[in-house]
Amino acid sequence: MQAEALGATIFGCSGTVLHADEARFFARARPWGFILFRRNVENAAQLQALCAELRSAVGRDAPVFMDQEGGTVQRLRPPLARDWPDARQQRGGARAVWLRHRLMAAELRAVGVDGNCAPVIDVAGPATHPFLQRRIWGADPQRVAELGRAAAEGLLAGGVLPVIKHLPGHGAGNADSHHDLPRVPLSLAALEARDFIPVKALADLPLGMSAHVVYDALDPLLPATVSPTVIAHLRGALGFGGLLMTDDIGMNALGGSMAARTGAALAAGCDVVLHCSGDPGEMAGVADAAGQLEGAAQARAAAALAARHDPCAIDIAALEAELEALSGDAEGQV
């Protein structure tokens, strides 16, 4: 049986309800998934309805993502979710990180969201930009890998697809890619000794997000998202076999039109283009340039969805109590 033809895209929408013109566009473009932001969140009932409308527009149970890291990057906030600390402030070790993400998954699933653009598996270093520093578990790459694994497994246990980011490692980047193009001047040996360790350790996970970062040792001209050389290294030497989505294609680290960025990312080896703003004109250009999921990208997309499952029932109060006990243990500080 031939697989359903889906667009190689993940799109956002403009507000708290799905407008008729948006629904018609999504029905034509058939994006693989969707992503939501604070602009899309009003209350639990509204968010559940919006997720249902998005899936109805494409006629299937499409994944709906959010960035719910905790701290400065969390789209759900009280009363829809706990006020999670930044990763750097989390205490209690791997078990606490698993509990945190299992509870986070329950919050996301309760409003219809089943994908989380987390965990961040970048490694902190001397050049790490402040926008990223607080979102990183620490400077020890083995520890980052351990905690990243715990976070991903907590999300998966709760029926939420994790997206490890930013591949192959943003920690040594010297700028905020929302505004500028970061560059990493480190040698390949230095990258392999630190930044690439968590990526290699978590290469079996189902989804990852590319970094809009130039790695001089691999490709001094192009950022990873649009670099065939960097993505070949990610797939080959680092062994990442999951679905690779771009970071937001609209970020200022990239140049050219949205269509040109889209074409370059897919030609370089990304599987799916992430476009977040909900701007209808930009989305139309991205959809036309992206075309459909095919071949290996289609297979990786199917494998990613196969990792999504209904969560088992849990005792929320018991998990909260355990997390509180572990997080209050200074000896177990992350």
Side-chain angles (χ1 to χ4, degrees):
M1 183 176 178
Q2 190 172 5
E4 183 181 12
L6 303 176
T9 50
I10 297 172
F11 283 136
C13 61
S14 62
T16 56
V17 298
L18 187 64
H19 299 295
D21 56 342
E22 292 176 313
R24 286 191 293 268
F25 169 73
F26 292 145
R28 293 193 305 272
R30 303 187 62 73
W32 181 74
F34 298 98
I35 189 165
L36 299 178
F37 291 85
R38 284 291 299 163
R39 68 176 183 267
N40 305 119
V41 178
E42 190 174 86
N43 57 56
Q46 166 270 322
L47 194 49
Q48 291 166 352
L50 177 58
C51 289
E53 289 167 353
L54 290 168
R55 291 176 171 124
S56 177
V58 294
R60 69 183 195 284
D61 189 17
V64 178
F65 295 89
M66 275 187 165
D67 293 287
Q68 190 73 358
E69 299 172 18
T72 53
V73 181
Q74 52 181 331
R75 312 310 182 195
L76 293 185
R77 295 186 177 273
L80 299 182
R82 295 159 186 80
D83 191 11
W84 297 106
D86 284 304
R88 209 60 183 288
Q89 297 174 313
Q90 177 67 55
R91 300 184 176 203
R95 176 61 180 174
V97 169
W98 186 94
L99 290 164
R100 165 190 171 117
H101 287 81
R102 179 63 186 86
L103 291 167
M104 191 179 284
E107 295 169 342
L108 291 166
R109 290 281 299 216
V111 294
V113 175
D114 56 10
N116 189 2
C117 296
V120 174
I121 62 166
D122 302 323
V123 181
T128 304
H129 193 277
F131 98 99
L132 191 59
Q133 187 76 242
R134 67 180 72 91
R135 301 161 59 192
I136 295 178
W137 300 115
D140 178 349
Q142 300 290 352
R143 187 68 166 156
V144 170
E146 178 190 10
L147 300 180
R149 172 73 64 183
E153 289 183 351
L155 290 169
L156 284 167
V160 171
L161 294 173
V163 182
I164 55 173
K165 62 186 186 185
H166 309 81
L167 306 184
H170 203 314
N174 59 1
D176 179 351
S177 54
H178 292 84
H179 306 292
D180 302 292
L181 177 60
R183 182 174 292 275
V184 172
L186 300 178
S187 68
L188 186 57
L191 289 167
E192 289 173 343
R194 189 185 72 184
D195 296 77
F196 291 173
I197 287 176
V199 180
K200 201 166 187 177
L202 303 179
D204 61 302
L205 289 173
L207 300 103
M209 178 183 289
S210 71
H212 299 334
V213 174
V214 171
Y215 301 86
D216 285 344
L218 291 171
D219 185 341
L221 299 178
L222 297 174
T225 299
V226 294
S227 170
T229 303
V230 177
I231 293 178
H233 192 81
L234 175 64
R235 293 293 192 196
L238 302 183
F240 179 68
L243 181 78
L244 183 63
M245 67 175 70
T246 70
D247 204 344
D248 181 10
I249 206 73
M251 289 163 63
N252 289 336
L254 301 179
S257 68
M258 294 298 153
R261 298 178 190 191
T262 297
L266 295 176
C270 290
D271 297 317
V272 174
V273 171
L274 174 66
H275 181 276
C276 296
S277 72
D279 179 273
E282 289 186 358
M283 288 194 295
V286 169
D288 287 344
Q292 297 178 354
L293 279 165
E294 297 177 339
Q298 186 177 49
R300 287 189 285 262
L305 285 185
R308 179 183 62 173
H309 59 81
D310 291 333
C312 297
I314 55 171
D315 184 335
I316 294 287
L319 296 190
E320 288 177 327
E322 183 183 358
L323 178 58
E324 183 177 358
L326 289 172
S327 298
D329 177 10
E331 295 301 318
Q333 186 169 359
V334 170

